């Protein structure tokens, strides 16, 4: 069923959400890993992060970890992939790329000096700017030719802002 959700999203280009639930230790993560192995063979990119009960107060911990890991893979993939990724991200995020580089240090290594340091703004405006930039970044990364699966484990430990950002991303 998870594979069907991903393949449907790829063909129709919408954002899809699949929740896997069950008791602790029931094999949810193993199930997802099996599905991911199959999807990688079909050209999907996979990003994963894990929320932790002890990092509950650290906003976006699993999301930052997941995307930093993805950008590290890009960084080690060679100049052509770095250039393609950097170009797509800068086109999509424009002047907001620097906002993302602050939260995702590995992204800063890819886009380098091409991003501007974000201007100081109020808290609400900064939050909206980050959300816009994040949506734009993900949209540029997740395309029909490069479908993207974001797996977030232990969602019950997610902080409030992570849940808000995930909801914002899929609606």
């Amino acid at each position: 069923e998870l594979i069907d959700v991903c393949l449907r999203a790829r063909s129709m280009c919408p954002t899809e959400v699949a929740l896997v639930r069950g008791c602790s230790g029931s094999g949810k993560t193993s199930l997802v890993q099996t599905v991911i192995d199959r999807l990688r063979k079909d050209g999907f990119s996979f990003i994963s992060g894990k929320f932790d009960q002890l990092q509950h107060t650290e906003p976006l911990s699993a999301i930052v970890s997941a995307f930093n890991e993805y950008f590290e893979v890009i960084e080690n993939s060679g100049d052509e992939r770095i250039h393609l990724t950097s170009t797509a991200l800068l086109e999509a995020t424009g002047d907001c790329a620097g906002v993302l580089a602050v939260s995702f240090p590995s992204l800063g290594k890819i886009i380098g000096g091409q991003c501007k340091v974000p201007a100081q703004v109020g808290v609400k405006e900064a939050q909206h700017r980050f959300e816009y930039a994040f949506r734009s970044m993900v949209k540029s990364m997740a395309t029909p030719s490069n479908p993207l699966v974001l797996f977030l484990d232990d969602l019950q430990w997610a902080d409030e802002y992570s849940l808000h950002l995930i909801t914002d991303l899929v609606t």
Side-chain angles (χ1 to χ4, degrees):
E1 200 172 324
L2 283 174
I3 291 173
D4 292 340
V5 168
C6 293
L7 294 176
R8 183 173 58 245
R10 178 186 211 171
S11 66
M12 298 170 54
C13 298
T15 301
E16 290 271 353
V17 175
L19 298 175
V20 180
R21 59 181 214 177
C23 296
S24 179
S26 63
K28 299 177 298 294
T29 302
S30 295
L31 170 68
V32 170
Q33 193 59 51
T34 301
V35 169
I36 292 307
D37 292 342
R38 159 78 198 291
L39 291 173
R40 279 190 172 135
K41 292 176 185 171
D42 288 336
F44 282 75
S45 294
F46 177 67
I47 300 175
S48 70
K50 182 177 176 77
F51 289 102
D52 186 295
Q53 182 179 11
L54 300 177
Q55 291 182 328
H56 184 72
T57 58
E58 186 180 328
L60 305 175
S61 62
I63 294 171
V64 168
S65 172
F67 280 91
N68 271 331
E69 185 177 305
Y70 177 79
F71 292 131
E72 287 170 8
V73 169
I74 299 291
E75 185 183 4
N76 294 318
S77 296
D79 291 342
E80 183 179 347
R81 187 157 183 210
I82 291 171
H83 176 72
L84 290 171
T85 302
S86 175
T87 301
L89 288 169
L90 288 168
E91 276 181 25
T93 60
D95 290 342
C96 294
V99 172
L100 295 169
V102 169
S103 295
F104 305 106
S106 296
L107 171 61
K109 294 175 186 175
I110 292 171
I111 58 178
Q114 300 178 56
C115 62
K116 299 176 185 174
V117 175
Q120 294 294 328
V121 295
V123 174
K124 275 289 190 202
E125 187 175 305
Q127 183 177 346
H128 290 297
R129 183 173 60 181
F130 177 80
E131 291 164 6
Y132 167 79
F134 184 74
R135 275 192 315 272
S136 299
M137 175 186 76
V138 172
K139 193 181 236 183
S140 76
M141 293 167 56
T143 64
S145 61
N146 183 41
L148 178 70
V149 174
L150 172 60
F151 173 58
L152 297 171
D153 203 359
D154 289 334
L155 203 54
Q156 74 271 18
W157 303 122
D159 59 278
E160 186 176 329
Y161 191 58
S162 291
L163 293 174
H164 170 77
L165 194 62
I166 294 164
T167 302
D168 187 52
L169 190 62
V170 299
T171 56

